[in-house]
Amino acid sequence: MPRPARSDRTAPTGRKSSRPKVDHRTRAPAHEYELEALAGLEHVAATELDTVPLARDIRGPRFWYPGDPERLTRMKSVTAVYRVRGWDVPRPRGLLGHQQLGELTAFLQEVVAVGGHTSFRIGAAGRESPVMQRIAEELQTALQLPHEPETGELLIRILPQQQGEGWDVLARITRRPLSARAWRECNMAGGLNATIAYAAHKLAGQRDNDRIFNPMSGSGTLLIERALMGPYDAMVGVDISADAVRCAQTNIRAAKREIEVAQIDALHTGLPARSFDLVMADLPWGDAIGTHGGNEALYPAFLKEMGRLTSQRGRLCVITHEIRLFERVLAEQQKWSAHELFQVASGGHHPKAYLLSKT
């Protein structure tokens, strides 16, 4: 008697064959986005974007993404994420057409639904021109949001298309820049941009067994950014200023982390030799904090003491705007070798980050 033919849906064991799992979000409509990063940190942002599931058709800072935009708001290396839409109009005036204005309003309403913005502003060349003022007036009525030219939460950028003859509208999906971390309840003059701190930690390397030291810890940016990135063996911050220690402690509580911070001179901690595997330092830049003359004495003393405190294979990451001074001090000593991690444009400064290892 012939054996019955096996169904295509039946495995040799007689069980139904399993179908490959499909992420149904890939079938959802995708939107175009653009990342904004500090100049000099674009490569760090690109690396982080590679870890975002479903991001596709990546072209520099532009990409398509069908998932929940909340995932994009958790990126740490960028200052902002914008949703993008283009219009085939020769000039911004074309956005005032009945159809185009309706499409623009619907596009921006979707962004407001994501970010909960309560006001808007336009960032564009010639934003004071009659055409831009008219666009602002129309959007104020259509969106039912106040136009606040300097402080508006929904930042709308209107730019000529890089490829094509139309115009792109970019709308920031969050009310504040992503670099303005939610944990930052206390600010200090000369405080480090959080995206720079994140990038420095990423490029210095994360190790679960690192004992980390942050001298001159200020408001705690380097400490908190590392604590939020994952496990470590120990982490300690010190600052000679009582106000800085209190500020850091405020931010650490807001971040819901437990990090030891003490009011101690970083050059006279009394800690045993080789106490740390990684030292992360944002040294005084000689403007908001410290002076150039003071840094002439501080920098060589700092390198000497950090050499004592780090383990034999320890690393020292230094961020500074005193580039000539720091490189001269490096050249005058033999205990550390260094390579540049990045140079970044931030707040009118161009600091560099260096990673040092013992020779």
Side-chain angles (χ1 to χ4, degrees):
M1 182 175 181
R3 299 173 66 181
R6 188 166 60 226
S7 168
D8 289 339
R9 299 181 59 186
T10 305
T13 58
R15 298 176 182 175
K16 290 185 178 180
S17 59
S18 61
R19 295 182 179 180
K21 293 182 179 180
V22 176
D23 190 331
H24 294 283
R25 293 174 297 175
T26 60
R27 301 177 183 175
H31 299 283
E32 189 174 16
Y33 294 89
E34 180 169 308
L35 302 179
E36 181 178 77
L38 293 176
L41 297 185
E42 297 90 346
H43 61 300
V44 183
T47 299
E48 187 179 11
L49 180 59
D50 286 340
T51 69
V52 176
L54 308 181
R56 63 177 188 255
D57 190 21
I58 298 173
R59 307 159 331 276
R62 292 269 181 109
F63 62 100
W64 288 82
Y65 179 69
D68 186 343
E70 188 277 333
R71 171 63 182 84
L72 303 178
T73 68
R74 289 186 272 126
M75 294 188 69
K76 301 297 185 184
S77 62
V78 300
T79 57
V81 179
Y82 296 85
R83 186 174 286 185
V84 183
R85 180 164 174 183
W87 274 267
D88 187 17
V89 293
R91 291 177 294 278
R93 181 187 298 275
L95 296 172
L96 291 167
H98 179 74
Q99 177 180 338
Q100 290 82 357
L101 185 60
E103 293 172 347
L104 176 59
T105 299
F107 165 71
L108 295 174
Q109 285 173 334
E110 290 181 358
V111 177
V112 171
V114 171
H117 310 76
T118 61
S119 58
F120 77 94
R121 59 189 164 111
I122 294 177
R127 65 174 184 166
E128 304 296 335
S129 68
V131 169
M132 291 298 176
Q133 291 296 310
R134 173 78 186 285
I135 291 174
E137 292 170 3
E138 294 289 349
L139 290 178
Q140 184 168 244
T141 300
L143 296 174
Q144 296 185 333
L145 292 178
H147 174 223
E148 298 178 358
E150 302 301 326
T151 61
E153 293 178 346
L154 175 60
L155 175 56
I156 303 167
R157 298 169 58 198
I158 302 175
L159 304 170
Q161 292 177 342
Q162 294 182 350
Q163 295 182 347
E165 299 180 357
W167 287 76
D168 284 338
V169 176
L170 287 70
R172 192 175 69 194
I173 66 175
T174 54
R175 296 167 64 174
R176 300 195 303 165
L178 292 180
S179 53
R181 303 292 204 243
W183 52 258
R184 189 177 291 283
E185 295 184 357
C186 178
N187 285 291
M188 295 190 66
L192 186 65
N193 184 298
T195 61
I196 298 177
Y198 174 87
H201 275 296
K202 273 294 182 183
L203 297 177
Q206 288 175 255
R207 299 176 185 172
D208 293 357
N209 60 348
D210 270 340
R211 299 165 297 163
I212 304 169
F213 182 48
N214 179 203
M216 309 170 203
S217 54
S219 60
T221 305
L222 281 163
L223 294 168
I224 295 169
E225 287 298 306
R226 178 60 183 87
L228 294 171
M229 290 168 71
Y232 49 89
D233 186 63
M235 185 152 55
V236 177
V238 300
D239 201 289
I240 200 169
S241 165
D243 289 340
V245 171
R246 284 191 291 270
C247 185
Q249 290 170 339
T250 296
N251 289 331
I252 289 167
R253 284 192 296 270
K256 298 181 173 58
R257 291 297 183 271
E258 295 183 4
I259 305 169
E260 182 180 353
V261 184
Q263 184 186 356
I264 299 175
D265 184 340
L267 300 186
H268 302 92
T269 61
L271 292 167
R274 301 186 179 183
S275 292
F276 301 103
D277 306 298
L278 172 63
V279 175
M280 299 292 298
D282 175 25
L283 293 181
W285 294 2
D287 49 10
I289 299 175
T291 64
H292 178 73
N295 289 344
E296 286 275 0
L298 171 65
Y299 278 34
F302 171 82
L303 287 183
K304 181 178 179 181
E305 177 62 7
M306 295 309 108
R308 186 186 73 84
L309 287 177
T310 51
S311 58
Q312 186 57 42
R313 295 186 179 181
R315 298 107 68 210
L316 168 58
C317 180
V318 171
I319 303 167
T320 181
H321 192 254
E322 287 266 41
I323 295 170
R324 290 184 181 177
L325 170 59
F326 186 71
E327 292 185 349
R328 172 165 58 79
V329 171
L330 275 175
E332 293 172 351
Q333 56 81 52
Q334 288 86 38
K335 292 186 177 180
W336 293 101
S337 61
H339 71 270
E340 182 183 325
L341 293 179
F342 56 78
Q343 183 169 22
V344 62
S346 175
H349 295 87
H350 295 82
K352 280 187 179 182
Y354 304 80
L355 187 62
L356 285 65
S357 58
K358 290 185 175 180
T359 55

